[in-house]
Amino acid sequence: MISKKNLTPLILSLIFFLMLGLSFAAVPLYDLFCRVTGFGGTTQVSKEAPKIVIDEPVRVRFDTNVQTDLAWNFKANKSLYDIKPGKVYKVEFEVENFGKEPSSGVASYNVSPSTFGQYFNKLGCFCFEKQTLKSGEKMSYILTFYLDPEMVNDPKTKNIDDITMSYTFFSSDYYKQSKVN
């Protein structure tokens, strides 16, 4: 039998380890929650397109940005599309390094309004992958996506007719080692 004197430290130790375990699980659980619900504009990743196309287009704007310490020019070849839910689209983005040295960046994105994130399905994307460009180099990247036709049945999204998909390239050169003379 455990005495009262030993019970309190045992309970506090158990609480400590439980909280420690939950702190490590928080990030993957939050990520899973966002991917399942589309919370915060998190888009979905899909392996195949739906079989239904809805003939009521939604206007989608592609906004492109570059972090200030990355000497890149980044733009969508076409920034405004009228998208039919269920139909697959490809958007081409051009990136150019106008700096004097090679540099690397990673693109992240968000969808506005955020309630629409769960209906924006990517079939292929360059985002979250490190891209390295030599000085003066230009590259093209493709986003392949569709809007889930189920959006017309959701009261939060059925009347939305204008969506912004915003991409930002961030420098991934934070981990450069300093040169030793």
Side-chain angles (χ1 to χ4, degrees), residues 116-134:
F116 202 82
Q118 67 185 1
Y119 298 107
F120 201 102
N121 288 271
K122 295 180 297 173
L123 294 166
C125 187
F126 57 92
C127 43
F128 300 116
E129 295 176 4
K130 182 178 176 181
Q131 311 295 338
T132 301
L133 299 175
K134 298 173 189 164

PDB file of all heavy atoms in Angstrom, residues 116-134:
ATOM      1  N   PHE A 116     -12.600  28.127 -46.589  1.00  0.00           N
ATOM      2  CA  PHE A 116     -12.553  27.481 -47.887  1.00  0.00           C
ATOM      3  C   PHE A 116     -11.413  26.481 -48.030  1.00  0.00           C
ATOM      4  O   PHE A 116     -11.365  25.708 -48.985  1.00  0.00           O
ATOM      5  CB  PHE A 116     -12.440  28.547 -48.978  1.00  0.00           C
ATOM      6  CG  PHE A 116     -12.891  28.042 -50.294  1.00  0.00           C
ATOM      7  CD1 PHE A 116     -14.230  28.009 -50.608  1.00  0.00           C
ATOM      8  CD2 PHE A 116     -11.992  27.536 -51.203  1.00  0.00           C
ATOM      9  CE1 PHE A 116     -14.657  27.507 -51.812  1.00  0.00           C
ATOM     10  CE2 PHE A 116     -12.400  27.038 -52.412  1.00  0.00           C
ATOM     11  CZ  PHE A 116     -13.746  27.014 -52.711  1.00  0.00           C
ATOM     12  N   GLY A 117     -10.469  26.483 -47.088  1.00  0.00           N
ATOM     13  CA  GLY A 117      -9.295  25.626 -47.181  1.00  0.00           C
ATOM     14  C   GLY A 117      -9.597  24.158 -47.387  1.00  0.00           C
ATOM     15  O   GLY A 117      -8.901  23.468 -48.135  1.00  0.00           O
ATOM     16  N   GLN A 118     -10.646  23.666 -46.764  1.00  0.00           N
ATOM     17  CA  GLN A 118     -10.956  22.235 -46.886  1.00  0.00           C
ATOM     18  C   GLN A 118     -11.459  21.838 -48.268  1.00  0.00           C
ATOM     19  O   GLN A 118     -11.523  20.662 -48.595  1.00  0.00           O
ATOM     20  CB  GLN A 118     -11.952  21.817 -45.822  1.00  0.00           C
ATOM     21  CG  GLN A 118     -13.325  22.410 -45.977  1.00  0.00           C
ATOM     22  CD  GLN A 118     -14.229  22.036 -44.813  1.00  0.00           C
ATOM     23  OE1 GLN A 118     -13.833  21.349 -43.890  1.00  0.00           O
ATOM     24  NE2 GLN A 118     -15.458  22.494 -44.873  1.00  0.00           N
ATOM     25  N   TYR A 119     -11.789  22.800 -49.110  1.00  0.00           N
ATOM     26  CA  TYR A 119     -12.290  22.502 -50.454  1.00  0.00           C
ATOM     27  C   TYR A 119     -11.258  22.765 -51.558  1.00  0.00           C
ATOM     28  O   TYR A 119     -11.519  22.537 -52.716  1.00  0.00           O
ATOM     29  CB  TYR A 119     -13.566  23.298 -50.730  1.00  0.00           C
ATOM     30  CG  TYR A 119     -14.657  22.924 -49.764  1.00  0.00           C
ATOM     31  CD1 TYR A 119     -15.042  23.786 -48.749  1.00  0.00           C
ATOM     32  CD2 TYR A 119     -15.274  21.683 -49.836  1.00  0.00           C
ATOM     33  CE1 TYR A 119     -16.026  23.427 -47.844  1.00  0.00           C
ATOM     34  CE2 TYR A 119     -16.249  21.314 -48.939  1.00  0.00           C
ATOM     35  CZ  TYR A 119     -16.618  22.191 -47.942  1.00  0.00           C
ATOM     36  OH  TYR A 119     -17.586  21.821 -47.037  1.00  0.00           O
ATOM     37  N   PHE A 120     -10.098  23.275 -51.172  1.00  0.00           N
ATOM     38  CA  PHE A 120      -9.013  23.533 -52.117  1.00  0.00           C
ATOM     39  C   PHE A 120      -8.097  22.317 -52.085  1.00  0.00           C
ATOM     40  O   PHE A 120      -7.377  22.097 -51.123  1.00  0.00           O
ATOM     41  CB  PHE A 120      -8.252  24.794 -51.711  1.00  0.00           C
ATOM     42  CG  PHE A 120      -7.487  25.417 -52.836  1.00  0.00           C
ATOM     43  CD1 PHE A 120      -7.981  26.526 -53.485  1.00  0.00           C
ATOM     44  CD2 PHE A 120      -6.268  24.899 -53.256  1.00  0.00           C
ATOM     45  CE1 PHE A 120      -7.286  27.122 -54.530  1.00  0.00           C
ATOM     46  CE2 PHE A 120      -5.564  25.479 -54.288  1.00  0.00           C
ATOM     47  CZ  PHE A 120      -6.074  26.592 -54.930  1.00  0.00           C
ATOM     48  N   ASN A 121      -8.135  21.493 -53.123  1.00  0.00           N
ATOM     49  CA  ASN A 121      -7.398  20.225 -53.147  1.00  0.00           C
ATOM     50  C   ASN A 121      -6.236  20.287 -54.118  1.00  0.00           C
ATOM     51  O   ASN A 121      -6.428  20.530 -55.312  1.00  0.00           O
ATOM     52  CB  ASN A 121      -8.335  19.087 -53.569  1.00  0.00           C
ATOM     53  CG  ASN A 121      -9.322  18.757 -52.489  1.00  0.00           C
ATOM     54  OD1 ASN A 121      -9.057  17.934 -51.641  1.00  0.00           O
ATOM     55  ND2 ASN A 121     -10.466  19.434 -52.504  1.00  0.00           N
ATOM     56  N   LYS A 122      -5.034  20.035 -53.611  1.00  0.00           N
ATOM     57  CA  LYS A 122      -3.836  20.045 -54.448  1.00  0.00           C
ATOM     58  C   LYS A 122      -3.533  18.623 -54.919  1.00  0.00           C
ATOM     59  O   LYS A 122      -3.500  17.690 -54.128  1.00  0.00           O
ATOM     60  CB  LYS A 122      -2.645  20.571 -53.652  1.00  0.00           C
ATOM     61  CG  LYS A 122      -2.798  22.013 -53.238  1.00  0.00           C
ATOM     62  CD  LYS A 122      -1.612  22.486 -52.453  1.00  0.00           C
ATOM     63  CE  LYS A 122      -1.526  21.697 -51.187  1.00  0.00           C
ATOM     64  NZ  LYS A 122      -0.384  21.878 -50.375  1.00  0.00           N
ATOM     65  N   LEU A 123      -3.305  18.481 -56.208  1.00  0.00           N
ATOM     66  CA  LEU A 123      -2.854  17.213 -56.774  1.00  0.00           C
ATOM     67  C   LEU A 123      -1.334  17.217 -56.926  1.00  0.00           C
ATOM     68  O   LEU A 123      -0.702  16.169 -56.947  1.00  0.00           O
ATOM     69  CB  LEU A 123      -3.515  16.962 -58.132  1.00  0.00           C
ATOM     70  CG  LEU A 123      -5.025  16.751 -58.079  1.00  0.00           C
ATOM     71  CD1 LEU A 123      -5.635  16.866 -59.469  1.00  0.00           C
ATOM     72  CD2 LEU A 123      -5.348  15.404 -57.476  1.00  0.00           C
ATOM     73  N   GLY A 124      -0.741  18.381 -57.074  1.00  0.00           N
ATOM     74  CA  GLY A 124       0.701  18.538 -57.191  1.00  0.00           C
ATOM     75  C   GLY A 124       1.080  19.956 -56.837  1.00  0.00           C
ATOM     76  O   GLY A 124       0.394  20.897 -57.229  1.00  0.00           O
ATOM     77  N   CYS A 125       2.165  20.113 -56.072  1.00  0.00           N
ATOM     78  CA  CYS A 125       2.553  21.452 -55.632  1.00  0.00           C
ATOM     79  C   CYS A 125       4.041  21.484 -55.318  1.00  0.00           C
ATOM     80  O   CYS A 125       4.617  20.482 -54.909  1.00  0.00           O
ATOM     81  CB  CYS A 125       1.760  21.851 -54.397  1.00  0.00           C
ATOM     82  SG  CYS A 125       2.012  23.568 -53.889  1.00  0.00           S
ATOM     83  N   PHE A 126       4.639  22.644 -55.478  1.00  0.00           N
ATOM     84  CA  PHE A 126       6.045  22.873 -55.175  1.00  0.00           C
ATOM     85  C   PHE A 126       6.235  23.374 -53.752  1.00  0.00           C
ATOM     86  O   PHE A 126       7.360  23.550 -53.291  1.00  0.00           O
ATOM     87  CB  PHE A 126       6.633  23.893 -56.159  1.00  0.00           C
ATOM     88  CG  PHE A 126       5.881  25.197 -56.162  1.00  0.00           C
ATOM     89  CD1 PHE A 126       6.265  26.244 -55.345  1.00  0.00           C
ATOM     90  CD2 PHE A 126       4.774  25.364 -56.980  1.00  0.00           C
ATOM     91  CE1 PHE A 126       5.575  27.435 -55.344  1.00  0.00           C
ATOM     92  CE2 PHE A 126       4.071  26.551 -56.999  1.00  0.00           C
ATOM     93  CZ  PHE A 126       4.474  27.595 -56.168  1.00  0.00           C
ATOM     94  N   CYS A 127       5.149  23.626 -53.051  1.00  0.00           N
ATOM     95  CA  CYS A 127       5.228  24.228 -51.733  1.00  0.00           C
ATOM     96  C   CYS A 127       5.843  23.269 -50.710  1.00  0.00           C
ATOM     97  O   CYS A 127       5.761  22.053 -50.843  1.00  0.00           O
ATOM     98  CB  CYS A 127       3.861  24.700 -51.271  1.00  0.00           C
ATOM     99  SG  CYS A 127       2.541  23.556 -51.605  1.00  0.00           S
ATOM    100  N   PHE A 128       6.476  23.849 -49.718  1.00  0.00           N
ATOM    101  CA  PHE A 128       7.131  23.155 -48.609  1.00  0.00           C
ATOM    102  C   PHE A 128       8.312  22.293 -49.042  1.00  0.00           C
ATOM    103  O   PHE A 128       8.784  21.463 -48.295  1.00  0.00           O
ATOM    104  CB  PHE A 128       6.138  22.325 -47.793  1.00  0.00           C
ATOM    105  CG  PHE A 128       5.043  23.158 -47.200  1.00  0.00           C
ATOM    106  CD1 PHE A 128       3.733  22.970 -47.580  1.00  0.00           C
ATOM    107  CD2 PHE A 128       5.329  24.162 -46.289  1.00  0.00           C
ATOM    108  CE1 PHE A 128       2.721  23.750 -47.054  1.00  0.00           C
ATOM    109  CE2 PHE A 128       4.330  24.942 -45.762  1.00  0.00           C
ATOM    110  CZ  PHE A 128       3.021  24.743 -46.139  1.00  0.00           C
ATOM    111  N   GLU A 129       8.778  22.489 -50.266  1.00  0.00           N
ATOM    112  CA  GLU A 129       9.981  21.799 -50.738  1.00  0.00           C
ATOM    113  C   GLU A 129      11.045  22.856 -50.991  1.00  0.00           C
ATOM    114  O   GLU A 129      10.767  23.895 -51.597  1.00  0.00           O
ATOM    115  CB  GLU A 129       9.706  21.039 -52.033  1.00  0.00           C
ATOM    116  CG  GLU A 129       8.723  19.902 -51.868  1.00  0.00           C
ATOM    117  CD  GLU A 129       8.389  19.226 -53.190  1.00  0.00           C
ATOM    118  OE1 GLU A 129       8.985  19.590 -54.225  1.00  0.00           O
ATOM    119  OE2 GLU A 129       7.527  18.351 -53.179  1.00  0.00           O
ATOM    120  N   LYS A 130      12.258  22.580 -50.554  1.00  0.00           N
ATOM    121  CA  LYS A 130      13.349  23.538 -50.748  1.00  0.00           C
ATOM    122  C   LYS A 130      13.663  23.660 -52.232  1.00  0.00           C
ATOM    123  O   LYS A 130      13.862  22.661 -52.918  1.00  0.00           O
ATOM    124  CB  LYS A 130      14.582  23.064 -49.982  1.00  0.00           C
ATOM    125  CG  LYS A 130      15.764  24.009 -50.069  1.00  0.00           C
ATOM    126  CD  LYS A 130      16.912  23.479 -49.239  1.00  0.00           C
ATOM    127  CE  LYS A 130      18.132  24.360 -49.379  1.00  0.00           C
ATOM    128  NZ  LYS A 130      19.259  23.838 -48.603  1.00  0.00           N
ATOM    129  N   GLN A 131      13.684  24.900 -52.712  1.00  0.00           N
ATOM    130  CA  GLN A 131      14.023  25.199 -54.098  1.00  0.00           C
ATOM    131  C   GLN A 131      15.308  26.032 -54.083  1.00  0.00           C
ATOM    132  O   GLN A 131      15.389  27.011 -53.346  1.00  0.00           O
ATOM    133  CB  GLN A 131      12.901  25.992 -54.777  1.00  0.00           C
ATOM    134  CG  GLN A 131      11.515  25.423 -54.607  1.00  0.00           C
ATOM    135  CD  GLN A 131      11.335  24.070 -55.276  1.00  0.00           C
ATOM    136  OE1 GLN A 131      12.053  23.709 -56.183  1.00  0.00           O
ATOM    137  NE2 GLN A 131      10.356  23.313 -54.809  1.00  0.00           N
ATOM    138  N   THR A 132      16.293  25.625 -54.865  1.00  0.00           N
ATOM    139  CA  THR A 132      17.557  26.356 -54.926  1.00  0.00           C
ATOM    140  C   THR A 132      17.753  26.885 -56.341  1.00  0.00           C
ATOM    141  O   THR A 132      17.603  26.153 -57.310  1.00  0.00           O
ATOM    142  CB  THR A 132      18.737  25.447 -54.530  1.00  0.00           C
ATOM    143  OG1 THR A 132      18.516  24.964 -53.193  1.00  0.00           O
ATOM    144  CG2 THR A 132      20.056  26.203 -54.567  1.00  0.00           C
ATOM    145  N   LEU A 133      18.072  28.168 -56.425  1.00  0.00           N
ATOM    146  CA  LEU A 133      18.312  28.817 -57.713  1.00  0.00           C
ATOM    147  C   LEU A 133      19.703  29.441 -57.726  1.00  0.00           C
ATOM    148  O   LEU A 133      20.112  30.087 -56.758  1.00  0.00           O
ATOM    149  CB  LEU A 133      17.275  29.908 -57.969  1.00  0.00           C
ATOM    150  CG  LEU A 133      15.814  29.484 -58.051  1.00  0.00           C
ATOM    151  CD1 LEU A 133      14.927  30.711 -58.176  1.00  0.00           C
ATOM    152  CD2 LEU A 133      15.593  28.563 -59.211  1.00  0.00           C
ATOM    153  N   LYS A 134      20.401  29.269 -58.838  1.00  0.00           N
ATOM    154  CA  LYS A 134      21.690  29.926 -59.036  1.00  0.00           C
ATOM    155  C   LYS A 134      21.432  31.398 -59.351  1.00  0.00           C
ATOM    156  O   LYS A 134      20.323  31.773 -59.738  1.00  0.00           O
ATOM    157  CB  LYS A 134      22.454  29.273 -60.192  1.00  0.00           C
ATOM    158  CG  LYS A 134      22.787  27.825 -59.964  1.00  0.00           C
ATOM    159  CD  LYS A 134      23.390  27.224 -61.215  1.00  0.00           C
ATOM    160  CE  LYS A 134      23.502  25.719 -61.035  1.00  0.00           C
ATOM    161  NZ  LYS A 134      23.711  25.034 -62.303  1.00  0.00           N
TER     162      LYS A 134
END
